[in-house]
Amino acid sequence: MLIILILNEMMNNIKTVLIIYFSPDSADCFPCPKEFWPNAEKNLCLPKLVEFLSFHEVLGIILATFSIAGACLTIVTAIVFFQHRCTPIVRANNSELSFLLLFSLTLCFLCSLTFIGHPSDWSCMLRHTAFGITFVLCISCVLGKTLVVLMAFKATLPVGIYFCFGCVASSFDNRAFRWMMTMIFAVEEINRNPALLPGVRLGYHIMDSCDHVHTSLRALLSLLTHSTTGQNTSVDRGSTSISALGVDRKSINDIVEKTRNKQRMPRIENEGIKGWRKLYYPDDDRKSTRGNVTITESTTDSGRCLTGSPIMAVIGLASSSPTGAIAHILGPFSIPLVSYFATCACLTDKHTYPSFLRTVPSDLFQVRGLVELVTFFGWNWVGTVGTPDDYSRYGIQAFSHQFRQRGGCLAYHLTIPQSPTLVEIGAMADTLQSSKAKVVVAFATEGQLLELFSELAARNVTGIQWIASEAWVTASLLTSPQFHFLLQGTLGFSFPGVYIPGLREFLLKVRPKAEPGFEFHNMLWEELFGCRLEFTTDPSQASANDLDSIIEQDDQRDSKRHTKSPSSSLETHVGEKRTFKFLANENTTARERPVCTGAEDLSNVHSSYTEVSKVRISYNVYKAVYAIAHALHNLLECDSVGDSTTEAGCKLNKSNTPTELLRYLKMVNFTNQFGEKVHFDHNGEPVPLYDIINWQKDSRGEIRFVKVGSYDGSVPIDQQLQLNQSKIVWTGGLSQVPVSLCSDPCSPGSRQARRPGEPQCCFDCLPCAEGEISNQTDSTECTQCPEYYWSDKSKVECVAGVDDFLSAYDTMGIILITLTLLGVVMTTVITTIFHHFRTTPIVRANNSEISFLLLVSLKLCFLCSLAFIGKPSTWTCRLRQAAFGVSFVLCLSCLLVKSIVVLLAFRSTVPGSGAMKLFGPSQQRTLILCTTAPQVGYRLVEISHTASISSLLAVRQ
């Protein structure tokens, strides 16, 4: 028989071939030398044949041709790149990386030639190394260029360049424009009130932050350096400047793409970046003594320090991220910043933002309320949707932390990018559509959610219960009919709303005009009525390009007027009224719009701008203006001048600084006309009051914001959340509370079993084991039943154990009794016979004493079995085991002794042997005693221990 064994040596990877002859003539096989193989008969070692790719083979010729051609092509490409290395396309393509890539490709092609031809030791060593290094270098260059291309496509704007009109939105933000007009209304109302600031008039600048940190900072610095130098002193009846910075949470300049046309507002875009805008009040009665608006201009050097800024206070911004940036700059100079819509809890830090206050509660209280609301309805599997800004990031972070502390779990968190792509929106919609979480908490603004909601509406997604933050819970933009089936039933927190008398009439006075400063009015007009405005000076239709020159002339005229009278801070800037052609846009869509007739009436339009029956954010703006006015009232000691109304006034003969105003602003405490007490706590926060709003359809099929509860963060915890559940309409118009759970609740009789690698809210339900129960829903563990108790069939409660015993009337009991009595009778008969013949040699030779003891122990064993029949009692349970154990051990001891005696008798060859003398009767008795005594002692200890435990349990009961 011939056997071939191939051993693979692990260290040198050399295959050694052993030729083994299994025959009578050969005891072993011998290995062939290196580079040799056995022949077919395995009786001779032959040299190995080397197989390699030759240049004369077809495959070798093809490989050599492709290698040389590839090397030549890459060399030619490198030469072309080198000749044009200074051109923009090569420089933009990273010439250094391109040359390195071409060089590595050339080496890769050349290295392939080393695999052709007869191999040698050095060629085998080097060809793999050379090709591996060059190939990795090539792949690295390709990866680097791929990342460069990817980043180039991701980059949307050059670094450091920010355009105010780059903000993209779906439409003009009517609601934010109402906030701005509310501030103007409040200033006008204060100026008409002779009791609040007698002899002092408030003025303002309105700047646009574009909802961007960089443009906000640029606008702030321009605002602080382009204000009237006389405003920090008492001039012209003590005019004081209040600046509203960033009147819009999304930015009022977040307008439809038509605003990108420079011919429409060439100066607005340019000057908006600089942070400068003149605003004209649309009322024709601009020269009245009371009620006109102070428009301030500046001859101040743009490089002056913030410490000497004439701005007394800043109102804004609406977004948290730009607000934090502005507050960080204003803080060291103690310039008050009062926000009406920046709710991020991060702004509470007084070390970082010492001069920041707000008339809107911090998100810290809103988050507590949202967590309380979600847990109140038993939703423990919730998704969150947010954005990358501070408002959303801090809000969702706090919500997630507190929600987990209450036993809840987050199914997912979706972040909407600043400029989401269709793929990103689609991926988020897929997650929302496929998740088992039917409750979603959204921390974002209506504009940021619009694209996601549009995608969900296009997919006809239903069944999601939306929980809204205060940023979009009252946004009319999302109440259009296309979102009704998706957003009906939305529940969220909102600020308390009031009706401000006179505000609607003030808002309805807005009219489009061609004068600079009315650009927002014109945009509102075109947006609401769907028409385009055309202003002309004569039938020749002046060109829209004249707008820039007209504004330039207007600015030069205003500058000259200010130079002549530098102390006057009350300028109307009306002059001669100029009109010009004002086109909505130069594209085809705008030209297809009808021309506005001028007969349009705002009172007939239903929009978020005119809906002021119960304003919320506008009310926060209103309170911010009045808080500053009351702080000025205390700062200027307006109550201490004069003894009569005719002599009333404020002390205007002293220099006041923003630092002093900030001190009084922190101490402000007044009750406004709506009965609300306005004041700030030590963190500059107002009283945390919220209304709980529910989106419901009215009889006309329109969405209405219905108050269904309230949340007061200043009262005890058990009284903070107040809900009227009967008034709530849930998603889809249903009246039943939706369910949002990762796993269905475990019914009584089962327990939760955590799924590995999943949140605690995801589990399986396992039934309790025998003798264990769980009488609550979602029990995490089963409870062991007490002794002598068992779990019922449903494992819900413990029931007393049923005594199951062997009765004398059972078949088994009758058989056991019969056999027992039979055994007793038989042993008794045998004992009688043995006793009758006790003097006979056979009985005497059989050790009658041990025989009688054995028969007695057998009789006791039979009788002890009767103790196991019938209902057990305490003593029978204690004694029957002991009696049977002792009697059975005694019986076995007797058998052992008799067996030893028989064994010794058979081993004795001579009568009267010494072995029998060594194991006589006394030794036999001693052995029986020694084997039985331990059993007797063990049973006595057991009985006494059981008795003590029983008495202790009886005492405890």
Side-chain angles (χ1 to χ4, degrees):
M1 179 183 287
L2 178 65
I3 300 175
I4 300 177
L5 299 180
I6 300 178
L7 304 179
N8 190 357
E9 299 182 4
M10 302 300 294
M11 298 302 296
N12 53 15
N13 199 25
I14 298 176
K15 293 183 178 179
T16 303
V17 180
L18 300 179
I19 311 302
I20 302 177
Y21 289 91
F22 189 81
S23 66
D25 298 330
S26 179
D28 198 1
C29 294
F30 301 96
C32 289
K34 189 178 181 181
E35 304 299 334
F36 281 81
W37 288 97
N39 62 355
E41 290 78 14
K42 303 300 186 294
N43 55 9
L44 182 64
C45 292
L46 301 176
K48 294 181 181 178
L49 295 178
V50 181
E51 295 183 358
F52 58 90
L53 184 63
S54 173
F55 284 101
H56 304 289
E57 298 180 13
V58 178
L59 185 59
I61 295 173
I62 294 175
L63 178 60
T65 303
F66 274 101
S67 299
I68 296 173
C72 294
L73 183 61
T74 52
I75 292 173
V76 171
T77 305
I79 294 173
V80 173
F81 260 64
F82 182 77
Q83 289 180 347
H84 300 278
R85 63 186 179 277
C86 297
T87 58
I89 188 171
V90 175
R91 294 177 62 189
N93 205 21
N94 194 338
S95 58
E96 180 181 351
L97 196 60
S98 300
F99 283 123
L100 188 59
L101 174 60
L102 292 171
F103 177 70
S104 61
L105 281 174
T106 305
L107 292 179
C108 283
F109 285 120
L110 295 177
C111 284
S112 62
L113 295 176
T114 60
F115 290 87
I116 306 175
H118 192 283
S120 64
D121 292 338
W122 283 102
S123 63
C124 289
M125 293 180 189
L126 295 179
R127 62 187 179 185
H128 287 92
T129 304
F131 183 79
I133 294 175
T134 54
F135 185 73
V136 170
L137 178 62
C138 177
I139 294 298
S140 302
C141 295
V142 172
L143 178 61
K145 293 183 73 65
T146 303
L147 292 176
V148 170
V149 173
L150 180 63
M151 297 303 294
F153 276 101
K154 285 286 184 180
T156 56
L157 287 176
V159 178
I161 300 177
Y162 304 93
F163 293 97
C164 184
F165 282 82
C167 307
V168 178
S170 59
S171 62
F172 183 79
D173 198 337
N174 303 333
R175 193 167 63 136
F177 183 68
R178 166 159 55 84
W179 302 342
M180 184 189 80
M181 297 303 295
T182 303
M183 193 211 72
I184 300 175
F185 170 77
V187 171
E188 291 293 303
E189 193 174 67
I190 292 171
N191 287 338
R192 290 194 299 267
N193 185 0
L196 186 55
L197 291 174
V200 177
R201 301 183 59 77
L202 300 180
Y204 55 86
H205 278 296
I206 295 180
M207 316 300 293
D208 191 359
S209 69
C210 271
D211 196 32
H212 200 287
V213 173
H214 298 82
T215 49
S216 300
L217 294 174
R218 190 176 292 115
L220 170 69
L221 297 178
S222 179
L223 175 73
L224 295 175
T225 57
H226 285 79
S227 300
T228 308
T229 55
Q231 283 183 323
N232 57 347
T233 59
S234 302
V235 293
D236 192 19
R237 301 188 61 185
S239 177
T240 306
S241 175
I242 300 178
S243 302
L245 182 62
V247 186
D248 183 356
R249 176 178 280 263
K250 275 191 89 253
S251 163
I252 290 186
N253 273 350
D254 285 355
I255 309 165
V256 77
E257 292 182 0
K258 63 186 180 183
T259 60
R260 294 185 179 182
N261 191 313
K262 293 186 179 181
Q263 291 185 354
R264 168 167 183 166
M265 291 182 299
R267 290 299 300 276
I268 294 298
E269 180 175 353
N270 183 29
E271 302 294 350
I273 296 177
K274 295 179 181 178
W276 171 259
R277 178 175 292 113
K278 296 196 295 275
L279 182 70
Y280 287 79
Y281 176 56
D283 197 348
D284 291 336
D285 186 16
R286 300 183 51 85
K287 294 186 179 182
S288 60
T289 306
R290 300 283 185 183
N292 64 339
V293 180
T294 303
I295 305 297
T296 59
E297 293 188 355
S298 174
T299 57
T300 308
D301 182 13
S302 61
R304 66 177 295 158
C305 180
L306 288 177
T307 306
S309 172
I311 299 299
M312 295 293 290
V314 179
I315 296 180
L317 297 74
S319 296
S320 295
S321 295
T323 301
I326 298 302
H328 191 73
I329 290 181
L330 295 180
F333 305 101
S334 298
I335 299 177
L337 173 62
V338 185
S339 176
Y340 52 88
F341 207 11
T343 59
C344 180
C346 56
L347 298 172
T348 307
D349 185 5
K350 292 293 105 177
H351 295 286
T352 308
Y353 312 108
S355 65
F356 175 76
L357 303 95
R358 51 186 164 192
T359 56
V360 56
S362 167
D363 280 337
L364 180 64
F365 299 100
Q366 180 185 199
V367 166
R368 290 176 184 172
L370 289 173
V371 172
E372 189 71 26
L373 179 68
V374 170
T375 55
F376 178 81
F377 291 107
W379 301 322
N380 66 357
W381 189 240
V382 175
T384 58
V385 176
T387 55
D389 56 13
D390 289 342
Y391 166 73
S392 178
R393 185 168 63 253
Y394 282 97
I396 292 180
Q397 181 180 355
F399 175 82
S400 304
H401 177 69
Q402 296 185 28
F403 187 51
R404 289 191 180 99
Q405 287 183 333
R406 299 288 294 270
C409 304
L410 288 186
Y412 54 82
H413 170 60
L414 303 178
T415 300
I416 303 175
Q418 291 182 351
S419 299
T421 62
L422 292 178
V423 175
E424 292 171 332
I425 292 295
M428 288 186 284
D430 292 338
T431 302
L432 288 166
Q433 199 169 0
S434 60
S435 176
K436 288 184 65 177
K438 297 306 178 183
V439 175
V440 181
V441 179
F443 267 86
T445 62
E446 66 274 18
Q448 295 166 330
L449 294 169
L450 186 60
E451 293 186 53
L452 178 60
F453 285 161
S454 300
E455 176 66 19
L456 294 175
R459 298 187 181 193
N460 198 25
V461 176
T462 58
I464 298 179
Q465 178 62 50
W466 293 93
I467 305 298
S469 66
E470 89 309 322
W472 66 278
V473 71
T474 57
S476 301
L477 177 65
L478 301 177
T479 59
S480 57
Q482 63 172 324
F483 299 127
H484 282 184
F485 69 92
L486 175 66
L487 298 179
Q488 183 185 6
T490 296
L491 208 62
F493 279 50
S494 178
F495 313 120
V498 299
Y499 172 75
I500 303 178
L503 178 59
R504 176 176 172 81
E505 292 74 14
F506 180 82
L507 298 177
L508 295 180
K509 291 181 181 179
V510 170
R511 291 292 183 274
K513 290 187 180 181
E515 300 173 1
F518 284 88
E519 290 79 13
F520 291 158
H521 302 68
N522 300 335
M523 295 175 194
L524 174 71
W525 200 267
E526 291 182 337
E527 181 71 20
L528 290 181
F529 297 108
C531 60
R532 72 178 189 274
L533 292 169
E534 291 187 1
F535 300 108
T536 58
T537 55
D538 51 56
S540 62
Q541 300 290 316
S543 174
N545 294 329
D546 295 337
L547 173 60
D548 192 44
S549 60
I550 292 174
I551 300 179
E552 288 286 355
Q553 296 172 9
D554 228 15
D555 288 346
Q556 293 175 4
R557 184 191 70 245
D558 293 339
S559 178
K560 292 179 181 179
R561 180 185 305 170
H562 186 76
T563 304
K564 294 179 182 179
S565 180
S567 62
S568 175
S569 63
L570 182 59
E571 298 287 346
T572 57
H573 306 297
V574 177
E576 312 92 46
K577 289 189 177 181
R578 297 177 180 267
T579 57
F580 50 88
K581 184 178 180 180
F582 188 87
L583 293 178
N585 206 333
E586 292 300 323
N587 55 31
T588 306
T589 305
R591 289 180 176 178
E592 291 177 353
R593 285 186 175 188
V595 179
C596 299
T597 63
E600 295 86 2
D601 189 1
L602 285 174
S603 60
N604 297 329
V605 176
H606 176 71
S607 71
S608 58
Y609 174 74
T610 58
E611 179 55 45
V612 292
S613 59
K614 185 172 285 190
V615 293
R616 303 176 189 276
I617 303 171
S618 298
Y619 180 47
N620 292 336
V621 177
Y622 188 83
K623 289 190 292 185
V625 177
Y626 265 88
I628 294 177
H630 278 271
L632 284 171
H633 176 88
N634 297 330
L635 172 63
L636 301 176
E637 301 178 10
C638 296
D639 291 338
S640 62
V641 179
D643 299 329
S644 62
T645 305
T646 57
E647 298 176 353
C650 301
K651 288 184 178 180
L652 306 178
N653 56 354
K654 66 176 183 177
S655 176
N656 300 308
T657 63
T659 304
E660 295 174 337
L661 179 61
L662 176 62
R663 182 166 59 90
Y664 281 94
L665 190 58
K666 291 180 179 179
M667 297 185 298
V668 74
N669 193 337
F670 67 94
T671 301
N672 60 18
Q673 59 176 316
F674 307 103
E676 180 180 349
K677 202 169 188 178
V678 180
H679 63 91
F680 303 101
D681 62 11
H682 63 284
N683 288 324
E685 309 279 351
V687 177
L689 294 174
Y690 294 95
D691 288 342
I692 299 178
I693 302 299
N694 186 217
W695 290 28
Q696 301 181 8
K697 276 187 179 182
D698 59 10
S699 57
R700 296 182 297 177
E702 297 180 354
I703 293 292
R704 287 288 178 264
F705 307 132
V706 180
K707 179 180 176 181
V708 295
S710 62
Y711 181 83
D712 187 353
S714 61
V715 299
I717 296 179
D718 56 344
Q719 302 176 11
Q720 291 178 350
L721 184 65
Q722 302 292 332
L723 278 175
N724 187 352
Q725 297 188 55
S726 61
K727 293 178 60 176
I728 299 178
V729 175
W730 301 104
T731 177
L734 302 177
S735 58
Q736 186 177 0
V737 179
V739 177
S740 184
L741 301 172
C742 179
S743 300
D744 294 332
C746 292
S747 60
S750 61
R751 64 175 179 86
Q752 297 179 358
R754 287 280 301 275
R755 298 174 184 170
E758 295 189 28
Q760 62 179 1
C761 302
C762 301
F763 49 82
D764 296 320
C765 296
L766 299 180
C768 293
E770 291 295 334
E772 295 181 345
I773 64 165
S774 67
N775 52 12
Q776 295 179 349
T777 304
D778 278 340
S779 296
T780 56
E781 60 182 12
C782 297
T783 305
Q784 185 73 34
C785 288
E787 191 178 6
Y788 305 120
Y789 281 82
W790 290 93
S791 55
D792 61 356
K793 186 177 181 180
S794 59
K795 306 295 190 302
V796 174
E797 61 179 348
C798 294
V799 295
V802 178
D803 293 334
D804 190 8
F805 56 90
L806 184 62
S807 174
Y809 303 101
D810 295 338
T811 303
M812 185 66 68
I814 295 173
I815 294 174
L816 179 59
I817 293 173
T818 302
L819 294 177
T820 299
L821 295 178
L822 180 61
V824 170
V825 171
M826 289 178 62
T827 53
T828 303
V829 170
I830 294 174
T831 303
T832 304
I833 295 174
F834 260 61
H835 184 268
H836 185 268
F837 295 100
R838 62 185 179 278
T839 57
T840 61
I842 190 171
V843 174
R844 294 177 63 186
N846 202 23
N847 195 339
S848 60
E849 182 181 352
I850 301 298
S851 299
F852 284 119
L853 188 59
L854 175 61
L855 291 171
V856 171
S857 62
L858 280 174
K859 190 183 299 182
L860 290 177
C861 286
F862 284 120
L863 292 175
C864 284
S865 61
L866 296 177
F868 290 89
I869 302 175
K871 187 174 182 179
S873 63
T874 304
W875 282 104
T876 57
C877 288
R878 295 177 189 174
L879 295 179
R880 62 187 179 184
Q881 297 282 351
F884 181 78
V886 172
S887 58
F888 187 70
V889 168
L890 179 61
C891 177
L892 292 180
S893 301
C894 295
L895 288 176
L896 176 63
V897 169
K898 292 183 73 67
S899 299
I900 294 174
V901 170
V902 173
L903 180 62
L904 291 176
F906 277 99
R907 284 186 176 273
S908 299
T909 56
V910 180
S913 175
M916 291 299 296
K917 293 180 179 179
L918 292 176
F919 195 71
S922 60
Q923 286 79 11
Q924 296 174 14
R925 297 188 195 97
T926 303
L927 180 60
I928 293 174
L929 179 63
C930 293
T931 54
T932 308
Q935 180 69 14
V936 174
Y938 169 73
R939 293 300 176 179
L940 291 176
V941 172
E942 183 183 25
I943 293 173
S944 61
H945 181 66
T946 305
S948 62
I949 293 178
S950 300
S951 60
L952 180 61
L953 292 176
V955 170
R956 288 184 178 180
Q957 293 177 356

